[in-house]
Amino acid sequence: MKGTFFITGIDTNIGKSYATGWLAREWNRQGIKTITQKMVQTGNVGHSEDIDLHREIMGIPFTEEDREHITFPIVYSYPASPHLAAEIDHQTIPIDKIAESTRILRDRYDVVLLEGAGGLMVPITRDYLTIDYVADHELPVILVTSGRLGSINHTLLSIEALERRGIQLYGLVYNTYPKSDKFIDADTEAYLRNYLEKQHPEAHFWVLPQIELAR
Ligand SMILES: Nc1ncnc2c1ncn2[C@@H]1O[C@H](COP(=O)(O)OP(=O)(O)O)[C@@H](O)[C@H]1O
Ligand SMILES: [Mg+2]
């Protein structure tokens, strides 16, 4: 198994970083040499909290590529959407750096899990969306969702956006954290499994457990 997969979510704070670290850990355990990359990190200076979290979940120290910032080539200080965070830092986003970094990582690893910022329609610049980047680079998508009220709607909207642009849905990660209403949780998982089986039978369905970090 080889390739770059784009990890996105139905919303910000849905568990993309947890899902990314968890998939990287599981795939490495299966012998698939997997690394993670953050497309654009906002709200940090000189590091990426998402990459920090991936390594913690993977249970590995920082890699050479982390120390060289290849895994997080673009970082802005203000915690906002990339287009706004870049403007606040008086920067123009060097979009080419994202794919350059992915290329370097692909030479060294079998799989790159590229975590986006927010969801599919998050602007990278004023006239370039996250989903435009995914389409331009023909990346299969792993979509992170959850059992909270509203997730079915957000998930189906995200999937329709992918379909409209001919982007492959590689799989859905159903995040079991945080637990909300038990009826809604159970029904959301069942509903999404059924929807995927009917509409995208080739797509994977993973259930992400609650992960306790040793802090
Ligand atoms: N599976 C999980 N196990 C434990 N905590 C989780 C899990 N998923 C999400 N969280 C919690 O929710 C927060 C947001 O998750 P995160 O992966 O950072 O979201 P995103 O990357 O989509 O913004 C985390 O800081 C963590 O506290
Ligand atoms: Mg994240």
Side-chain angles (χ1 to χ4, degrees), residues 16-17 38 50 54 115-116:
K16 292 187 303 296
S17 295
K38 180 71 179 178
D50 284 17
H54 299 164
E115 180 182 339

Side-chain angles (χ1 to χ4, degrees), residues 24-211:
R25 186 181 78 193
E26 296 303 307
W27 290 2
N28 276 311
R29 279 182 184 163
Q30 291 167 29
I32 303 160
K33 208 177 163 204
T34 305
I35 191 71
T36 70
Q37 180 187 341
K38 180 71 179 178
M39 178 162 72
V40 179
Q41 178 70 58
T42 68
N44 290 150
V45 176
H47 80 117
S48 158
E49 62 190 7
D50 284 17
I51 293 293
D52 298 347
L53 184 56
H54 299 164
R55 301 296 169 263
E56 197 176 347
I57 293 168
M58 292 163 75
I60 62 164
F62 288 121
T63 65
E64 185 189 330
E65 295 82 11
D66 296 336
R67 286 192 293 271
E68 292 168 357
H69 298 194
I70 297 168
T71 50
F72 52 102
I74 305 172
V75 181
Y76 298 120
S77 59
Y78 201 80
S81 170
H83 76 288
L84 178 59
E87 287 175 10
I88 290 171
D89 280 356
H90 305 287
Q91 301 288 323
T92 305
I93 296 203
I95 293 175
D96 291 350
K97 271 178 92 171
I98 302 167
E100 269 166 42
S101 285
T102 305
R103 224 171 290 124
I104 295 169
L105 296 172
R106 282 296 309 281
D107 282 344
R108 303 181 191 178
Y109 294 85
D110 297 329
V111 167
V112 177
L113 297 178
L114 176 59
E115 180 182 339
L120 285 164
M121 293 296 178
V122 164
I124 302 299
T125 70
R126 293 266 158 201
D127 30 47
Y128 196 66
L129 300 171
T130 298
I131 199 168
D132 295 328
Y133 183 90
V134 176
D136 286 349
H137 293 82
E138 298 180 359
L139 300 175
V141 161
I142 295 172
L143 179 66
V144 182
T145 183
S146 79
R148 77 177 177 218
L149 185 59
S151 284
I152 294 176
N153 175 55
H154 288 127
T155 306
L156 270 46
L157 284 171
S158 294
I159 292 174
E160 280 219 1
L162 295 175
E163 289 166 353
R164 179 162 179 257
R165 294 169 198 240
I167 298 167
Q168 183 195 351
L169 177 65
Y170 187 78
L172 205 62
V173 175
Y174 179 81
N175 190 2
T176 59
Y177 181 92
K179 298 255 179 293
S180 54
D181 179 279
K182 69 178 179 189
F183 293 109
I184 298 174
D185 270 345
D187 181 69
T188 303
E189 181 180 343
Y191 188 94
L192 293 175
R193 268 186 198 277
N194 181 52
Y195 183 86
L196 217 59
E197 261 163 39
K198 292 215 172 98
Q199 305 294 327
H200 292 274
E202 70 297 338
H204 298 259
F205 189 98
W206 295 283
V207 177
L208 173 62
Q210 180 173 354
I211 295 173

